[in-house]
């Protein structure tokens, strides 16, 4: 009865495929901490991302300080999100809010700015060259 061996072979084949397929989380993530001091309240970072790669910039701020961000890019599908410490939902979503942000921080902590390409551009392995201006003031 050859059909008895089929499930075993199929299981082995499936296991082989699972272990050889790349994980989605393997997309490159560039991480950088941005230090803003009393003497330097605006910091510009230049970068490039391609496909599903992202860049994450961490800024430490205090409740009541004003965080401002402006993304200049050559790619119309290039945006940024802002994550607040300890919160599941993004504080700001660039694809619906645009490429600039300015607001008072709701809490003390490390805020993460994630620069990314929308799926339509990431699927095509598009490249975005960008400048991100990050400002923090009392």
């Amino acid at each position: 009865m050859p059909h008895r061996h089929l499930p075993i072979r199929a299981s082995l084949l499936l296991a082989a495929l699972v272990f050889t397929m790349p994980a989605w989380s393997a997309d490159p993530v560039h991480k950088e901490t941005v230090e803003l001091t009393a003497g330097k309240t605006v910091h510009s970072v230049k970068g490039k991302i391609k496909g599903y790669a992202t860049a994450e910039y961490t800024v430490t701020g205090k409740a009541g300080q004003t965080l401002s961000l402006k993304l200049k890019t050559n790619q119309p599908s290039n945006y940024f999100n802002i994550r607040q410490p300890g919160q599941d939902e993004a504080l700001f979503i660039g694809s619906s809010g645009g490429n600039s942000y300015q607001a008072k921080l709701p809490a003390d902590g490390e805020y993460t700015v994630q620069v990314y390409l929308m799926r339509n551009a990431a699927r095509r392995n598009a490249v975005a060259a960008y400048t991100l201006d990050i400002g923090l003031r009392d």
Side-chain angles (χ1 to χ4, degrees), residues 67 69-71 79-84 87-103 106 111-114 116 132:
L67 176 65
L69 295 154
K70 183 160 183 67
L71 181 70
Y79 294 101
F80 67 88
N81 293 342
I82 304 170
R83 289 193 316 270
Q84 180 182 344
Q87 298 295 318
D88 291 334
E89 278 188 38
L91 181 64
F92 176 80
I93 299 172
S95 60
S96 58
N99 277 341
S100 61
Y101 171 86
Q102 183 170 323
Y111 289 78
T112 302
V113 180
Q114 180 188 38
Y116 66 95
L132 180 65

Side-chain angles (χ1 to χ4, degrees), residues 47-68:
K48 263 188 188 173
I49 54 174
K50 180 179 181 181
Y52 288 98
T54 61
E56 292 184 357
Y57 301 95
T58 304
V59 179
T60 301
K62 294 185 187 318
Q65 286 185 308
T66 299
L67 176 65
S68 59

